[in-house]
Amino acid sequence: MKIAFRQQATNFDCAPTSIINALKYLFARKDIPPYVLQRIYKDCLDIEAFRGTSSGAMHDIAHWLNAYREQRFKQFAVRVQFIRGKQVHLRPNSKILRCIEERGAALLCVHASKRTWHYITCIHAEEDWLYCYDPAPLSTRTIIADCVECIVDARGQQPNLRIRTGWLERKIGKDSSPDECIYVFGNHEHRECLLLNRIF
């Protein structure tokens, strides 16, 4: 049984919620060890001053998930890769696109504003669109004509958002408006992504 994606509980837990949504996409409910969920929440919410999840925590949870095996949950084996900087792109040799093509899930770190970041789970690519699940409540601010669209009737494990690849690849300049910043990777020095594939 596959379990429906869920929204984040606060304004700060998009990263652990997105990781768990990715695991729910990759595995049946009975195959996910409860301890894995505990560890994700424990390790990810590590920034005390501003709340949220640091790059270091995402890097560390990737290593931990790669190594985790539990005898009672033999089906649970996942390959996780943390990429950053110039590795995060959507050109033909993209690690993100390869992960999705191999039936994986890519956690994209996108801008929510000029100075804040947000994790969403990408599960499908079609033509020049990426189909994602955003764990934050969506609003009319989310809609950017021809570039970012809400999928209002999404259910279960269906994406609730689609974003044009060209829009995601945008960089952010000093004069960028708030609407030009949302759902973009931004400048290379701030880009990061977590790639998850099930090991069959």
Side-chain angles (χ1 to χ4, degrees), residues 23-181:
L23 294 178
K24 290 193 291 185
Y25 176 71
L26 296 174
F27 296 94
R29 181 175 182 265
K30 65 182 177 60
D31 295 327
I32 301 174
Y35 181 65
V36 168
L37 274 63
Q38 178 193 25
R39 184 66 182 254
I40 289 168
Y41 274 108
K42 177 180 177 291
D43 289 2
C44 282
L45 296 172
D46 66 321
I47 301 179
E48 294 184 11
F50 298 100
R51 307 291 188 259
T53 304
S54 69
S55 297
M58 294 298 276
H59 179 269
D60 291 346
I61 202 68
H63 281 285
W64 186 84
L65 285 167
N66 276 324
Y68 186 81
R69 299 292 183 273
E70 186 174 338
Q71 189 62 28
R72 289 177 55 200
F73 295 88
K74 294 181 180 178
Q75 298 298 316
F76 186 84
V78 62
R79 182 176 70 250
V80 187
Q81 185 179 9
F82 180 72
I83 60 173
R84 60 173 56 177
K86 293 184 178 180
Q87 291 182 306
V88 180
H89 65 82
L90 299 170
R91 297 188 295 277
N93 61 339
S94 166
K95 291 184 177 183
I96 296 170
L97 295 177
R98 190 182 321 132
C99 171
I100 297 165
E101 287 166 5
E102 294 172 353
R103 295 186 292 167
L107 270 65
L108 310 180
C109 184
V110 295
H111 279 263
S113 68
K114 273 191 182 182
R115 293 177 181 83
T116 59
W117 289 266
H118 178 59
Y119 269 99
I120 60 177
T121 306
C122 180
I123 56 174
H124 180 64
E126 187 175 314
E127 296 179 352
D128 61 344
W129 291 95
L130 290 189
Y131 289 77
C132 309
Y133 186 84
D134 186 340
L138 300 177
S139 68
T140 53
R141 181 173 176 267
T142 306
I143 301 169
I144 299 165
D146 299 322
C147 296
V148 179
E149 297 178 2
C150 295
I151 303 172
V152 294
D153 57 349
R155 297 289 184 272
Q157 291 193 356
Q158 296 175 332
N160 65 358
L161 180 75
R162 70 177 193 160
I163 313 168
R164 285 204 186 273
T165 55
W167 179 265
L168 272 161
E169 285 280 23
R170 291 167 59 93
K171 296 182 181 178
I172 293 177
K174 287 187 283 187
D175 299 326
S176 298
S177 71
D179 285 344
E180 292 176 315
C181 298

